[in-house]
Amino acid sequence: MTELVTIHRLADAEQDLSRAAEILRDGGLVVFPTETVYGLGGDARRDASAKKIYAAKGRPSDNPLIIHVATPEDAEPYAFTCDLYYKLARAFLPGPLTIILPKKDTIPLSTTGGLDTVAVRCPSHPVAHRLLEKCGFPVAAPSANRSGSPSPTCAAHALADLDGKVDLIIDGGDCEIGLESTIVKIDGDSLTLLRPGAITPDALSLVCPTVKIADAVLGQLKEGEKVLSPGMKYKHYAPSSPLVLLDGAPDAVLRFLQSEQATKECAILCYDEEIPLLKQKHLFPVGVKEDLAAHGKTLFHALREADATGVEVIYAHLPPKEGLGLALYNRMIRAAAHTVRTIDN
Ligand code: AMP
Ligand code: MG
């Protein structure tokens, strides 16, 4: 049985969060809100909890889990930290940045998918933060979706995917960012970006001048290619109707969408300013064109809704690769299995 509790005010949530920490300490699973997406938490020190997480998600067990701690210093017993870790922490934590460090033996290999490194994150969401304070131990938490479906940005998504598979779901409202954390690996004095997120390469480079971008962030992996971040090799966020990303001049793309709507059942993730110019059926606005933060916040919800229509094709605009656009591009290009259609005129 999965229990659902809703938190409106942190001050009223002490009892619920103490109980959630107790469930985690006893080896149970708790879904909790963060500023990025909802997490599916278990005690990161326990082999058995990691296995339960993989089973609940239906996720391959070589895909490592991120450990969540209340403060950057709380990672000390579990990871070998360094100056650059604390520089990044001062600039960005608590917040949507995950940092890969060499792991200590206190974290079992089942949590890190067999790797000798561990991914550390300090979420800024007040509910997540208070829960982690109460735990006093690291909580391993991947996104709280079944493997292959979009990450959950509200409790209803997590419930739809994990009802009956977790002990408790904490509803803390919609996630502010809506895209998973930025992941970086520290290599000496430089950083490698493994997954783009709300902390952009430009922001990272203010703290660390050398930021490399892993090939898998933008490109399509070849069969059997070695990846730095095992999660990148799995097909992710894939709707069951094909998603096609449209590239081209705005008016040409709009004309294409209008003609497609006239001839077939399609769902469209559109900009707000296109709403009056398109048929309303199966239309999912993601914010005005320039507001990439709004697109990030609505993307996964819109994908779930578009997918639920069961139409033959879903269209969306190809995002830019700059700034926050890189995170959107990375998620959408994979959801679309790299299908981009260029509209000429
Ligand atoms: P999720 O928890 O669903 O946001 O996915 C976690 C992502 O973090 C996966 O794509 C993993 O590949 C990546 N990750 C976690 N731990 C490590 C690690 N030790 N080294 C590299 N990537 C990691
Ligand atoms: Mg995930």
Side-chain angles (χ1 to χ4, degrees), residues 262-340:
T263 55
K264 60 168 74 100
E265 286 275 290
C266 54
I268 301 172
L269 274 57
C270 70
Y271 299 138
D272 287 1
E273 51 271 44
E274 293 171 322
I275 298 172
L277 305 167
L278 290 164
K279 282 190 202 159
Q280 303 306 298
K281 195 174 177 197
H282 305 322
L283 205 56
F284 303 98
V286 295
V288 297
K289 182 173 188 224
E290 301 302 328
D291 190 353
L292 297 181
H295 303 183
K297 191 169 175 170
T298 49
L299 174 67
F300 289 142
H301 182 71
L303 275 178
R304 277 182 187 253
E305 299 242 292
D307 204 19
T309 60
V311 292
E312 48 182 298
V313 58
I314 304 170
Y315 291 115
H317 295 279
L318 182 72
K321 293 180 198 158
E322 292 75 41
L324 182 59
L326 184 65
L328 284 160
Y329 182 92
N330 169 267
R331 306 311 190 278
M332 293 182 78
I333 198 86
R334 295 159 89 223
H338 294 265
T339 313
V340 177

Side-chain angles (χ1 to χ4, degrees), residues 112-321:
T112 64
L115 298 176
D116 56 8
T117 52
V118 62
V120 176
R121 167 155 148 68
C122 302
S124 62
H125 193 292
V127 171
H129 182 78
R130 188 73 187 118
L131 174 64
L132 293 167
E133 273 184 343
K134 285 186 179 282
C135 287
F137 54 83
V139 174
S143 49
N145 53 291
R146 290 282 292 172
S147 196
S149 70
S151 291
T153 56
C154 63
H157 296 163
L159 186 67
D161 278 18
L162 298 173
D163 194 11
K165 297 187 166 66
V166 298
D167 299 291
L168 177 68
I169 295 178
I170 302 172
D171 184 348
D174 290 347
C175 297
E176 199 46 48
I177 294 172
L179 297 172
E180 306 87 342
S181 59
T182 301
I183 304 182
V184 291
K185 189 165 195 285
I186 295 183
D187 295 306
D189 290 338
S190 68
L191 289 180
T192 306
L193 180 72
L194 302 185
R195 179 173 74 187
I199 308 290
T200 61
D202 281 351
L204 291 166
S205 64
L206 295 176
V207 175
C208 174
T210 321
V211 182
K212 295 177 234 165
I213 298 189
D215 290 346
V217 167
L218 289 172
Q220 199 165 6
L221 290 171
K222 295 176 203 75
E223 198 68 36
E225 189 175 334
K226 194 171 178 301
V227 285
L228 289 171
S229 181
M232 290 190 193
K233 74 185 173 203
Y234 298 109
K235 194 173 171 209
H236 247 201
Y237 328 114
S240 41
S241 307
L243 171 66
V244 176
L245 302 181
L246 302 175
D247 191 16
D251 51 341
V253 171
L254 181 63
R255 276 197 303 277
F256 172 81
L257 290 171
Q258 287 164 334
S259 77
E260 286 295 285
Q261 279 193 321
T263 55
K264 60 168 74 100
E265 286 275 290
C266 54
I268 301 172
L269 274 57
C270 70
Y271 299 138
D272 287 1
E273 51 271 44
E274 293 171 322
I275 298 172
L277 305 167
L278 290 164
K279 282 190 202 159
Q280 303 306 298
K281 195 174 177 197
H282 305 322
L283 205 56
F284 303 98
V286 295
V288 297
K289 182 173 188 224
E290 301 302 328
D291 190 353
L292 297 181
H295 303 183
K297 191 169 175 170
T298 49
L299 174 67
F300 289 142
H301 182 71
L303 275 178
R304 277 182 187 253
E305 299 242 292
D307 204 19
T309 60
V311 292
E312 48 182 298
V313 58
I314 304 170
Y315 291 115
H317 295 279
L318 182 72
K321 293 180 198 158

